[in-house]
Amino acid sequence: MEENISSAKAGTISPRDAAWREQLRQEKNAKERTAIPRATMPQLDPAYRITTMLAEVNQGLSEEQAVLEASRCLDCPDPGCVTGCPVGINIPGFIKNIERGDFRQAAMTLKETSALPAVCGRVCPQEKQCESKCIYNRMKKPPVAIGWLERFAADSERMSGESASPAQLASNGRKIAVVGSGPAGLSFAGEMSRRGYEITVFEALHEIGGVLKYGIPEFRLPNSVVENEIDSLRAAGVKFEADVIVGKTYSFDDLMSMGFEEMFVASGAGLPRFMGIPGENLIGVLSSNEYLTRINLMGAGREGYATPVLHGRRVAVIGGGNTAMDSVRTALRMGAEEASIIYRRSEAEMPARVEEVHHAKEEGVKFLTLHNPVEYLADENGRVRAMRLQRMELGEPDASGRRSPVPVEGAIEEVPVDLVIVSVGVSPNPLVPSAIEGLEVTRRGTIAVDDDTLQSSIPVLYAGGDIVRGGATVILAMGDGRRAAAAMDDMLSGRKN
Amino acid sequence: MNKILDKQHFSEKVVKLVVEAPAIARSRKPGHFVIVIDNARGERIPLTIADADPVKGTITLVIQAVGDSTRAICAMNPGDFLHDVVGPLGRATDIANYGTVVCAGGGVGVAPLLPIIKAMKQAGNRVVSVLAARNASLIILEDQVREWSDEVIIMTDDGSAGEKGLVTQGVEKVIQREKVDHAVTIGPAIMMKFVSALTKKYGVPTICSLNTIMVDGTGMCGACRVSVGGKTRFVCVDGPEFDAHQVDFDEMMLRMRAYDKPRN
């Protein structure tokens, strides 16, 4: 009688051999479909949007746009896009639902595999994942806008006010603790709650959402979207406790004695990395985590909020990732006259999403690629007044496969700057690993887990997201939550029998 | 939300609050701190835990009104609620039987020093406490410190209590008089800097507790970073206590002025 949700494969909701999909394929031929140009995302005017912290840049596809874009999809028999998705979403399945106008079923299809489609549709690097595997690339045409369609489906579900949540099993009374309410924790909580477990998510900060709240700015991911996802988890019975640091407020043993059978640690990335160059501790040099947390989580710069923030006139952001783009675009919105990205490789190697780089350029961000800071210089008050930049050139490929930057001898210039935001990555947060005796960590300080099950050296403790990966993406973190849930459920069900 | 149960004024600007926080009261150890947010739009402020009662489920905080948020917290009364209290954070003090321990506290720094004095005494040390402030009215927790110290030396700038002079003079007197094995100092950065310079001269291992600017307090933002022995360390997760002789106090004092708002 027991339905086993964990074994449900993507594609069971909207299978390719469904009659309606067969019929859709007949309606238009490939020539007609490929003749349709890729949709353009309606977006706020750059000149306007840099004046507002909260307005989302991408406005979302209209219904007509979405249906037309969905009809570009050829519904391939062996879809490459799905192989490009870290969680294996049934991409043609949800897209074809959009084409036939069943947006609710499209959302349902997404939710079969992704706990947070409205988030992923906004923050996933689609151009490196699903869209990079789209058949259109081989025809030298722009791929189907899978990310925008994902966002469209998730947003129409949210706007409709009717949740398209997959079926939920009745409570089995078994308590599981989740540490951290970021993408990995939320995805795990959703998956386990569906399977009937009683989930409590403990969050160290005073707000639920982790990096989705403190890190990603509202102009890219509105808090209301995140809140909606959290609310639907709440409605499904997931409990959230803010201001709790597992390992400190409650020890691992405390949780066990509170009746939690198992726990999933998704405490996220932590300590910001600095480069170790002279002047890095001057006033006005700070991490992107600090800058973004002050503004996104604490409301710094907004009327009535107590947290202060430094306003730079000439702002330099060091790094080429999404966090660097978020920081530099935030700086513009906070009133910077000049905001630059300083990146030691060339634009081709930048890890940021292409769309973020594109948006940043539209907004007037300067890109100083092939430059690397070597020193920050202070004014008489100990505040940063300039940086010394080393020009770089690309040499041989390094371990990451990217061509490694090499200094051009003697090519150092001094550039005036009054706010420097260092965004060169993070190290795992030591707080949880160091507080749990016997927990095996890697040399990098991440929690060591089994590659398949995400189980740690302590059998009742699973872990995923950046505390295991050391600094990755929202979608990979979510995928971890999903895999850990499936593995833990398998294990617990087996034990029960 | 954490209810304030009791309030006591130590001086015009220094207030003691007893706050409901059962889980923290149970798990905290000497040296730990909490992050407090006074209202929904407030900032996250690190405050060292001065005392705790695990049975009653309360912690004691001593707050000096130096900025807008600390002023607001000092104006709160029993029955009011702090919006958030999270902790305990940081690493606990290394308590051991060192022999003779000098505990040097300045101003409001005596509050976080008290649980360390108590624990050092309970660990079997001879504890000599040196409390310093500008004047008699700013000496706090003297009776409680006496309860757990073998000797208490009071130093005031104006001589209105104890001896006239700086905390360093009191500490030096003890070091010159008897063998001191270990020192702990908590107070304003400038005071810890001079205590550290003094004990370094005499080769007395010294621990200081730093209260830098923090945002999250959980090892995420790096606002609290200090140079210790030439390396960047994070006060919130690596500290708040460090080998005082290795701390770059000048850099720390500079960084504490980053937002031009002095903090306790």
PDB file of all heavy atoms in Angstrom, chain A residues 43 46 88 152 173 190 280 290 331 349 432 445 451 475 479:
ATOM      1  N   GLN A  43      12.726  43.542 -19.704  1.00  0.00           N
ATOM      2  CA  GLN A  43      13.482  43.938 -18.517  1.00  0.00           C
ATOM      3  C   GLN A  43      13.371  45.422 -18.264  1.00  0.00           C
ATOM      4  O   GLN A  43      13.044  46.199 -19.159  1.00  0.00           O
ATOM      5  CB  GLN A  43      14.943  43.531 -18.683  1.00  0.00           C
ATOM      6  CG  GLN A  43      15.612  44.116 -19.921  1.00  0.00           C
ATOM      7  CD  GLN A  43      17.084  43.762 -19.988  1.00  0.00           C
ATOM      8  OE1 GLN A  43      17.448  42.602 -19.852  1.00  0.00           O
ATOM      9  NE2 GLN A  43      17.922  44.757 -20.194  1.00  0.00           N
ATOM     10  N   PRO A  46      17.882  49.966 -17.960  1.00  0.00           N
ATOM     11  CA  PRO A  46      19.076  50.047 -17.104  1.00  0.00           C
ATOM     12  C   PRO A  46      19.194  51.370 -16.340  1.00  0.00           C
ATOM     13  O   PRO A  46      19.558  51.385 -15.171  1.00  0.00           O
ATOM     14  CB  PRO A  46      20.234  49.878 -18.091  1.00  0.00           C
ATOM     15  CG  PRO A  46      19.661  49.154 -19.256  1.00  0.00           C
ATOM     16  CD  PRO A  46      18.223  49.566 -19.328  1.00  0.00           C
ATOM     17  N   GLY A  88      18.124  16.734 -13.282  1.00  0.00           N
ATOM     18  CA  GLY A  88      17.397  15.933 -14.259  1.00  0.00           C
ATOM     19  C   GLY A  88      15.925  16.270 -14.396  1.00  0.00           C
ATOM     20  O   GLY A  88      15.071  15.379 -14.517  1.00  0.00           O
ATOM     21  N   PHE A 152       8.667  31.206 -15.778  1.00  0.00           N
ATOM     22  CA  PHE A 152       7.287  31.514 -16.146  1.00  0.00           C
ATOM     23  C   PHE A 152       6.312  30.530 -15.492  1.00  0.00           C
ATOM     24  O   PHE A 152       5.305  30.923 -14.909  1.00  0.00           O
ATOM     25  CB  PHE A 152       7.122  31.488 -17.676  1.00  0.00           C
ATOM     26  CG  PHE A 152       5.691  31.605 -18.107  1.00  0.00           C
ATOM     27  CD1 PHE A 152       5.070  32.847 -18.163  1.00  0.00           C
ATOM     28  CD2 PHE A 152       4.939  30.469 -18.408  1.00  0.00           C
ATOM     29  CE1 PHE A 152       3.729  32.954 -18.520  1.00  0.00           C
ATOM     30  CE2 PHE A 152       3.601  30.579 -18.765  1.00  0.00           C
ATOM     31  CZ  PHE A 152       2.991  31.816 -18.819  1.00  0.00           C
ATOM     32  N   GLY A 173       5.428  10.385  11.805  1.00  0.00           N
ATOM     33  CA  GLY A 173       5.833  10.682  13.173  1.00  0.00           C
ATOM     34  C   GLY A 173       7.331  10.647  13.426  1.00  0.00           C
ATOM     35  O   GLY A 173       7.770  10.795  14.558  1.00  0.00           O
ATOM     36  N   GLY A 190      11.557  19.842   1.854  1.00  0.00           N
ATOM     37  CA  GLY A 190      10.404  19.603   0.994  1.00  0.00           C
ATOM     38  C   GLY A 190      10.268  18.128   0.630  1.00  0.00           C
ATOM     39  O   GLY A 190       9.186  17.537   0.735  1.00  0.00           O
ATOM     40  N   GLU A 280      44.753  44.745   2.914  1.00  0.00           N
ATOM     41  CA  GLU A 280      43.436  44.122   2.809  1.00  0.00           C
ATOM     42  C   GLU A 280      42.563  44.354   4.041  1.00  0.00           C
ATOM     43  O   GLU A 280      41.347  44.199   3.982  1.00  0.00           O
ATOM     44  CB  GLU A 280      43.598  42.623   2.554  1.00  0.00           C
ATOM     45  CG  GLU A 280      42.600  42.087   1.569  1.00  0.00           C
ATOM     46  CD  GLU A 280      42.974  40.692   1.072  1.00  0.00           C
ATOM     47  OE1 GLU A 280      43.830  40.044   1.689  1.00  0.00           O
ATOM     48  OE2 GLU A 280      42.392  40.269   0.062  1.00  0.00           O
ATOM     49  N   GLU A 290      29.985  40.291   3.551  1.00  0.00           N
ATOM     50  CA  GLU A 290      29.653  41.357   4.497  1.00  0.00           C
ATOM     51  C   GLU A 290      28.807  42.428   3.819  1.00  0.00           C
ATOM     52  O   GLU A 290      27.766  42.844   4.341  1.00  0.00           O
ATOM     53  CB  GLU A 290      30.922  41.995   5.076  1.00  0.00           C
ATOM     54  CG  GLU A 290      30.576  43.157   6.011  1.00  0.00           C
ATOM     55  CD  GLU A 290      31.770  43.866   6.629  1.00  0.00           C
ATOM     56  OE1 GLU A 290      32.905  43.380   6.490  1.00  0.00           O
ATOM     57  OE2 GLU A 290      31.551  44.915   7.272  1.00  0.00           O
ATOM     58  N   ALA A 331      26.379  47.868  -5.613  1.00  0.00           N
ATOM     59  CA  ALA A 331      27.123  49.107  -5.362  1.00  0.00           C
ATOM     60  C   ALA A 331      26.591  50.247  -6.228  1.00  0.00           C
ATOM     61  O   ALA A 331      26.437  51.378  -5.767  1.00  0.00           O
ATOM     62  CB  ALA A 331      28.609  48.890  -5.610  1.00  0.00           C
ATOM     63  N   GLU A 349      36.587  33.291 -19.177  1.00  0.00           N
ATOM     64  CA  GLU A 349      36.745  32.365 -18.049  1.00  0.00           C
ATOM     65  C   GLU A 349      35.866  32.735 -16.860  1.00  0.00           C
ATOM     66  O   GLU A 349      35.876  32.050 -15.845  1.00  0.00           O
ATOM     67  CB  GLU A 349      38.199  32.330 -17.585  1.00  0.00           C
ATOM     68  CG  GLU A 349      39.168  31.651 -18.548  1.00  0.00           C
ATOM     69  CD  GLU A 349      39.644  32.591 -19.641  1.00  0.00           C
ATOM     70  OE1 GLU A 349      39.552  33.820 -19.442  1.00  0.00           O
ATOM     71  OE2 GLU A 349      40.063  32.114 -20.704  1.00  0.00           O
ATOM     72  N   VAL A 432      29.761  24.189  12.365  1.00  0.00           N
ATOM     73  CA  VAL A 432      29.092  22.912  12.617  1.00  0.00           C
ATOM     74  C   VAL A 432      30.089  21.740  12.647  1.00  0.00           C
ATOM     75  O   VAL A 432      30.106  20.974  13.609  1.00  0.00           O
ATOM     76  CB  VAL A 432      27.956  22.664  11.595  1.00  0.00           C
ATOM     77  CG1 VAL A 432      27.352  21.289  11.784  1.00  0.00           C
ATOM     78  CG2 VAL A 432      26.893  23.736  11.743  1.00  0.00           C
ATOM     79  N   GLY A 445      38.194  21.183   4.785  1.00  0.00           N
ATOM     80  CA  GLY A 445      37.299  21.580   5.868  1.00  0.00           C
ATOM     81  C   GLY A 445      35.837  21.316   5.565  1.00  0.00           C
ATOM     82  O   GLY A 445      34.961  21.672   6.345  1.00  0.00           O
ATOM     83  N   ASP A 451      29.558   9.737  -1.847  1.00  0.00           N
ATOM     84  CA  ASP A 451      29.165  10.451  -3.061  1.00  0.00           C
ATOM     85  C   ASP A 451      27.714  10.218  -3.462  1.00  0.00           C
ATOM     86  O   ASP A 451      27.063  11.106  -4.003  1.00  0.00           O
ATOM     87  CB  ASP A 451      30.058  10.031  -4.239  1.00  0.00           C
ATOM     88  CG  ASP A 451      31.429  10.674  -4.143  1.00  0.00           C
ATOM     89  OD1 ASP A 451      31.581  11.609  -3.328  1.00  0.00           O
ATOM     90  OD2 ASP A 451      32.345  10.228  -4.867  1.00  0.00           O
ATOM     91  N   ILE A 475      21.449  25.275  -7.589  1.00  0.00           N
ATOM     92  CA  ILE A 475      20.855  24.045  -8.125  1.00  0.00           C
ATOM     93  C   ILE A 475      21.599  22.802  -7.634  1.00  0.00           C
ATOM     94  O   ILE A 475      20.984  21.781  -7.316  1.00  0.00           O
ATOM     95  CB  ILE A 475      20.781  24.082  -9.680  1.00  0.00           C
ATOM     96  CG1 ILE A 475      20.063  22.855 -10.247  1.00  0.00           C
ATOM     97  CG2 ILE A 475      22.141  24.194 -10.306  1.00  0.00           C
ATOM     98  CD1 ILE A 475      18.590  22.837 -10.040  1.00  0.00           C
ATOM     99  N   GLY A 479      19.985  19.877  -5.507  1.00  0.00           N
ATOM    100  CA  GLY A 479      20.129  18.486  -5.933  1.00  0.00           C
ATOM    101  C   GLY A 479      20.623  17.622  -4.783  1.00  0.00           C
ATOM    102  O   GLY A 479      20.154  16.488  -4.591  1.00  0.00           O
TER     103      GLY A 479
END
